[in-house]
Amino acid sequence: MSYVSSSFRSSSAFGAQVALDDDRLRRIAPSIFAEQAHVSRSDKYAYIPTSLVLEGMRKEGFVAVRANQGRSRIAGKAEYTKHMIRFRHGSYIGTESLGQVVPEIVLVNSHDGTSAYHLIAGLFRVRCLNGLVVCESETADIRVPHKGQVVDNVIEGAFTVIEESKSAVERAESWGQLQLTRDEKHIMAEAAHVLRFGDAEGKTETVIEPDQLLRARRTDDRADNLWITHNVIQENVIRGGLHAWGRDANNRQRRVTTREVKNIDGDVKLNRALWMLSQRMAELKGV
């Protein structure tokens, strides 16, 4: 079966890896198909619907495999809000094997002025159904403003970004050969803990412990190499579901559960910071 979900990380949303057609995308992220820009945009704003870019990407052999959109508390703005589409080349569809890492293109846009077209390199790990965002280089982070030949510029950028995604697959393979000590894994968990729960000064007040970010959710992820460690931490940070006991303002015991990161900006920011963290660890290890 195909997967349809408003959150592309939901484990129940995944089945056979197939392309999402327009009907499914409309249900997942209707702002992709906004027929005009939000009324807050001036006449200088060039409205280029994401649906046109979607059509152009398909003509070049790329298909949408996952999508979601943000929320808005402003009445009538939800139909124009920020949305994310993850593209994969059609040659990968239906051929994925368990444990494989597949290159993707992450496209972010909005029709309310909160985002230009933003292309980022991404990876998809079939085993844990995680969608990672890569922080490889500036060429893997392309922004196209809403003016000029938007569709052509986005497609041109997509080919640049997919090459970075392919390079990231090779990076993942090298990380899989790099073994970490217990202390090194703990250092990564502590840094990720601050990224996820720290305030502006880096202070954390949660009862969730850093080592909880190292708890594998499946037997195959009980390994000490950098690639598996990165994925375990990323999954625990982004998908949430970690539990601990704390006390409320009245000193009564209560169970604390971490939430899934659903905000698009938060998702991208955390993913890229975690990638940079793992990249720095690899460099310290001499890779």
Side-chain angles (χ1 to χ4, degrees), residues 21-261:
D21 59 22
D22 286 355
D23 288 340
R24 291 184 174 91
L25 285 171
R26 287 180 192 277
R27 293 197 294 271
I28 297 168
S31 58
I32 293 172
F33 300 93
E35 296 181 355
Q36 59 188 15
H38 187 258
V39 294
S40 62
R41 299 302 89 204
S42 70
D43 294 338
K44 296 180 180 180
Y45 180 89
Y47 170 67
I48 308 295
T50 307
S51 56
L52 284 183
V53 174
L54 175 64
E55 181 181 344
M57 291 288 284
R58 285 169 173 164
K59 289 180 179 178
E60 296 297 332
F62 295 98
V63 295
V65 291
R66 284 171 289 167
N68 72 335
Q69 75 171 51
R71 299 178 180 179
S72 178
R73 296 179 179 179
I74 301 175
K77 202 173 183 181
E79 297 177 0
Y80 308 92
T81 193
K82 187 174 295 184
H83 42 273
M84 177 190 290
I85 309 175
R86 296 187 72 113
F87 290 93
R88 192 177 305 170
H89 195 270
S91 60
Y92 287 102
I93 302 299
T95 64
E96 302 90 337
S97 60
L98 194 62
Q100 182 182 0
V101 181
V102 180
E104 291 186 338
I105 297 171
V106 182
L107 174 67
V108 178
N109 186 41
S110 77
H111 297 306
D112 60 3
T114 57
S115 175
Y117 279 96
H118 189 187
L119 293 155
I120 319 167
L123 294 179
F124 176 71
R125 182 176 177 237
V126 178
R127 183 181 302 279
C128 63
L129 306 180
N130 277 3
L132 288 76
V133 174
V134 173
C135 183
E136 281 288 274
S137 69
E138 289 302 317
T139 58
D141 187 348
I142 298 174
R143 297 177 186 271
V144 179
H146 287 255
K147 61 182 180 180
Q149 300 296 320
V150 171
V151 177
D152 292 342
N153 292 338
V154 169
I155 292 173
E156 180 181 351
F159 281 101
T160 300
V161 167
I162 197 63
E163 290 304 316
E164 292 287 353
S165 297
K166 292 177 181 177
S167 297
V169 171
E170 297 177 359
R171 182 70 57 90
E173 292 174 351
S174 69
W175 288 0
Q177 304 301 315
L178 187 59
Q179 297 299 308
L180 301 181
T181 66
R182 182 175 181 179
D183 286 344
E184 288 168 339
K185 292 176 67 175
H186 182 71
I187 289 171
M188 290 187 63
E190 285 187 324
H193 188 263
V194 174
L195 287 171
R196 175 63 178 88
F197 303 109
D199 59 19
E201 297 179 352
K203 297 179 180 179
T204 58
E205 297 183 355
T206 179
V207 294
I208 301 295
E209 297 292 336
D211 280 347
Q212 288 183 256
L213 301 179
L214 295 171
R215 293 178 184 174
R217 303 192 180 206
R218 57 193 62 81
T219 303
D220 292 338
D221 281 346
R222 294 175 182 172
D224 295 323
N225 66 68
L226 177 56
W227 175 238
I228 293 298
T229 301
H230 174 88
N231 277 270
V232 169
I233 291 176
Q234 187 259 5
E235 186 171 17
N236 283 322
V237 166
I238 299 296
R239 295 186 67 178
L242 302 179
H243 307 291
W245 288 96
R247 293 191 176 277
D248 60 20
N250 297 315
N251 201 34
R252 293 176 298 190
Q253 193 175 47
R254 66 185 182 91
R255 194 184 193 207
V256 176
T257 301
T258 60
R259 297 179 179 179
E260 179 180 9
V261 178

